[in-house]
Amino acid sequence: MSEWTDAIVGERMTVDNEFTDRVSASRFSSQEWGLIMTATEFEIENADDAEDARLVADTSSLPAIMPELENVRSQVAAMGGAPGQGDGGGSGGGLVDSIKGALGLGGSGGGGGADAEELEAAERLVQEYADELQAHLEDNGRWEQVRLAYQE
């Protein structure tokens, strides 16, 4: 099934470039977005129905990488970059939090709600990307070809 995704690499690059503004306006840095996209796969829901077929993001792997987002933030903060990125999450501890994260000890109390909120935000943004990619494929007359390739 990877053949259909290989066939849209050029379209994905175009959409990536067009989507940078939306990523910049989100709570995620470009490095975090790259990590999120690495953990995301795309599928075509209802691929056998030309009218109802829809590109959807499979985000089932996102929970596994969400702790890494904090590591990315800690590294960026340690290098003195983008203090406003990530909803002001750098509440001190930088190195200690990074070490705790690497050991799988996580953050301090109340982090569960923030993690769920972060996951929801990532899932929403990834689906927006999928919608944008499908619209781009439709606008360029490639959607039907991609949908059929997905079915093979």
Side-chain angles (χ1 to χ4, degrees):
M1 206 181 309
S2 70
E3 293 175 18
W4 78 273
T5 56
D6 292 345
I8 61 169
V9 169
E11 283 85 356
R12 286 204 51 191
M13 290 173 66
T14 300
V15 172
D16 286 351
N17 289 333
E18 295 170 354
F19 207 74
T20 56
D21 289 344
R22 210 160 318 162
V23 172
S24 295
S26 78
R27 68 191 316 152
F28 303 108
S29 69
S30 59
Q31 294 87 353
E32 292 165 336
W33 176 245
L35 185 60
I36 290 167
M37 289 302 285
T38 300
T40 302
E41 295 196 23
F42 294 98
E43 300 173 350
I44 299 179
E45 199 173 70
N46 301 317
D48 57 343
D49 184 348
E51 293 297 314
D52 289 331
R54 179 173 181 238
L55 187 64
V56 294
D58 174 1
T59 58
S60 60
S61 296
L62 280 181
I65 62 100
M66 295 310 286
E68 274 305 306
L69 293 182
E70 187 56 40
N71 290 342
V72 169
R73 286 186 185 128
S74 295
Q75 291 170 1
V76 169
M79 293 186 296
Q85 199 65 35
D87 260 0
S91 59
L95 179 61
V96 174
D97 288 342
S98 183
I99 292 168
K100 282 177 153 180
L103 296 173
L105 300 174
S108 56
D115 291 344
E117 184 179 308
E118 189 101 325
L119 179 60
E120 283 180 33
E123 289 172 338
R124 257 191 324 274
L125 193 59
V126 169
Q127 188 54 52
E128 286 178 29
Y129 177 90
D131 294 343
E132 190 81 22
L133 179 57
Q134 180 175 343
H136 178 80
L137 291 167
E138 289 172 349
D139 291 346
N140 290 305
R142 298 268 336 266
W143 175 243
E144 185 65 12
Q145 176 187 4
V146 170
R147 184 185 69 80
L148 293 173
Y150 177 84
Q151 290 179 298
E152 293 177 1

